[in-house]
Amino acid sequence: MNGFKDAGHLFRFAGLFVVAFLVFWVVRGFVVPKSFGQYGHYRAAAVSEYAARPVKFAGHQACEACHTDIASTKAGGKHAQVNCEACHGALAKHAEDPTSLTPPKPDTAVLCVRCHAASAAKPKDFPQIDAVSHANGVPCETCHNPHSPAIGAPPAAAKGGAQ
Amino acid sequence: MNITRRHILILLPAAAVAWKSVLAGTPEDSPNYNMSEHWWGMLIDISKCIGCGNCVRACQTENDLPDGFFRTWVERYHRSDWHLENPEVISPDGGKEGFPSVQDDPGGEYFFVPKMCNHCADSPCTQVCPVGATFISPDGVVLIDQTYCMGCAYCVQACPYGCRYIHPTKKVADKCTLCYHRITKGLTTACCEACPTGTRQLADLKNPKDPIHEFLKTHKVQVLKPQLATGAKAFYNDLDGSVR
């Protein structure tokens, strides 16, 4: 045992390291979130937190479940692929509880030209108009049913309420 | 039964492993949604975009974004006939309220390019995060753990597509989540839902029935900045060579 005769200070120092490591380990156990590292170098619970956020756009399936008349008008027209909330705005609240929120009727003067105002940058086969020369102030829905916009297409259902 | 030193040597690590799994807890998955069955991306068909800005407004509504900050935006390119390198690009207020009309046509090509997070499979932004706040989820969506982010903005600088920003009030990094709260519920993203022309289509690359596979086979589809090998999953159809 002669080799360890004057090594007491080394053992004390080593002990200090062991204690420091244990303290580090315990503190780490407390401060690192529980799901950290489950899928990778991040907090796995963040993924389910994102998934739990509420939606604001209900999705066209929710609209079509009640508004079957509009859905069938739209399905046969040029706007078949335009989803309801593209024009009517985010209406998840209305879809959850129809009485809680009555969707405002969109202003066609703003809405239609947003897509159909002529622009050199739009695809050539996309129907475009010069708003002034085309209608001269007459509201779009006088001639076009927004749900099936071709002239001569079936007229708009009176109010468009749920069946 | 006598507990020998051998038993303790075996039991202790086993107990440690068991305790760790207790601490980790059980994941709270959405019902009927299995992360390992999906690998999300987006198809953007330039030839259909009319620059209406519906996607920009929908994104801002769905995600309560502050004014002047965009998770998706639309650019209008003007590329001259003789010079591919320096297109003129405008995006007034992210294209949210449309674009000014072209007065005198100076020639060349005009077209719209919707931009968003490319949800790269080898994303530069997640690689530089020093604290593990941003990550690629098991279903291929680049997300930010905003409770973990400290707002150092390394990722904002690292993103070659300019898709991240520091949120003005939260003071942490913010970006497109590919509407993770929607796609895990079986809905499409807000921008896809609001797009009137079908320019944007959410794509599940792990779903063999997804129309994206047929589209990728039959069209000349590109990603932005392919030379950076980011594994971008925003696929652009009909992309002009001048787009950066």
Side-chain angles (χ1 to χ4, degrees):
Chain A
M1 289 298 285
N2 269 357
F4 292 113
K5 206 175 83 182
D6 294 323
H9 64 291
L10 289 180
F11 286 121
R12 281 196 294 277
F13 206 62
L16 211 59
F17 265 101
V18 171
V19 169
F21 179 74
L22 285 175
V23 168
F24 165 77
W25 196 252
V26 169
V27 170
R28 187 184 180 279
F30 279 107
V31 297
V32 174
K34 297 192 178 4
S35 63
F36 199 94
Q38 193 183 337
Y39 303 135
H41 188 69
Y42 60 91
R43 196 171 59 91
V47 179
S48 41
E49 283 167 24
Y50 267 111
R53 290 185 181 185
V55 300
K56 294 193 178 161
F57 282 82
H60 61 100
Q61 301 91 339
C63 312
E64 287 158 3
C66 297
H67 299 276
T68 47
D69 54 337
I70 304 285
S72 61
T73 309
K74 205 161 80 65
K78 288 246 183 191
H79 280 171
Q81 61 156 1
V82 182
N83 291 329
C84 314
E85 286 161 308
C87 300
H88 292 278
L91 288 168
K93 265 188 193 156
H94 173 75
E96 272 165 32
D97 177 13
T99 55
S100 69
L101 173 77
T102 309
K105 195 181 171 207
D107 181 6
T108 49
V110 178
L111 196 68
C112 300
V113 292
R114 200 172 255 163
C115 291
H116 292 288
S119 164
K122 287 180 184 175
K124 302 290 169 280
D125 55 351
F126 185 78
Q128 301 165 47
I129 51 114
D130 177 56
V132 178
S133 66
H134 180 81
N136 199 20
V138 178
C140 310
E141 72 266 35
T142 311
C143 304
H144 302 277
N145 171 8
H147 292 130
S148 181
I151 303 274
K159 204 74 181 92
Q163 294 270 303
Chain B
M1 175 187 137
N2 288 331
I3 295 179
T4 63
R5 190 170 3 180
R6 178 183 295 248
H7 284 121
I8 290 188
L9 278 175
I10 294 168
L11 279 174
L12 265 184
V17 169
W19 181 238
K20 194 157 168 70
S21 69
V22 168
L23 280 184
T26 44
E28 304 159 36
D29 287 329
S30 301
N32 308 322
Y33 182 78
N34 190 349
M35 279 191 280
S36 60
E37 290 171 2
H38 304 275
W39 190 249
W40 297 107
M42 180 76 83
L43 179 64
I44 299 174
D45 193 344
I46 302 279
S47 64
K48 289 184 179 170
C49 186
I50 56 170
C52 64
N54 255 12
C55 49
V56 185
R57 286 190 300 277
C59 179
Q60 297 215 312
T61 307
E62 181 74 33
N63 300 299
D64 288 320
L65 300 189
D67 265 350
F69 293 84
F70 304 95
R71 289 182 180 186
T72 184
W73 67 98
V74 182
E75 294 170 354
R76 189 178 77 188
Y77 272 68
H78 177 215
R79 191 249 302 140
S80 68
D81 285 327
W82 50 274
H83 199 208
L84 195 69
E85 283 301 314
N86 294 307
E88 182 200 338
V89 184
I90 61 165
S91 186
D93 203 12
K96 193 174 155 187
E97 298 301 334
F99 291 82
S101 57
V102 183
Q103 295 301 336
D104 319 300
D105 190 357
E109 280 282 318
Y110 285 90
F111 50 89
F112 297 108
V113 183
K115 295 268 183 90
M116 60 178 285
C117 171
N118 290 251
H119 293 282
C120 307
D122 298 306
S123 57
C125 57
T126 58
Q127 290 171 36
V128 299
C129 180
V131 296
T134 185
F135 55 89
I136 304 171
S137 72
D139 37 5
V141 181
V142 178
L143 295 171
I144 300 167
D145 181 355
Q146 293 191 324
T147 62
Y148 229 64
C149 176
M150 53 181 192
C152 71
Y154 270 13
C155 56
V156 178
Q157 293 190 47
C159 176
Y161 306 105
C163 296
R164 288 170 169 248
Y165 57 89
I166 296 293
H167 193 285
T169 53
K170 294 184 197 163
K171 306 289 180 196
V172 291
D174 200 48
K175 68 177 282 295
C176 164
T177 63
L178 204 64
C179 282
Y180 198 75
H181 58 299
R182 299 178 59 86
I183 60 177
T184 51
K185 294 181 179 82
L187 297 165
T188 188
T189 64
C191 55
C192 291
E193 186 67 37
C195 177
T197 62
T199 298
R200 290 166 176 260
Q201 284 160 52
L202 180 70
D204 183 0
L205 300 163
K206 262 195 191 173
N207 177 5
K209 289 179 188 150
D210 197 295
I212 179 84
H213 302 295
E214 186 61 26
F215 196 92
L216 290 180
K217 262 189 277 180
T218 51
H219 292 74
K220 287 177 179 152
V221 175
Q222 297 174 59
V223 295
L224 297 177
K225 302 188 181 177
Q227 74 276 18
L228 297 180
T230 56
K233 290 195 267 93
F235 301 101
Y236 284 86
N237 182 41
D238 206 15
L239 192 68
D240 190 89
S242 64
V243 177
R244 293 288 173 266

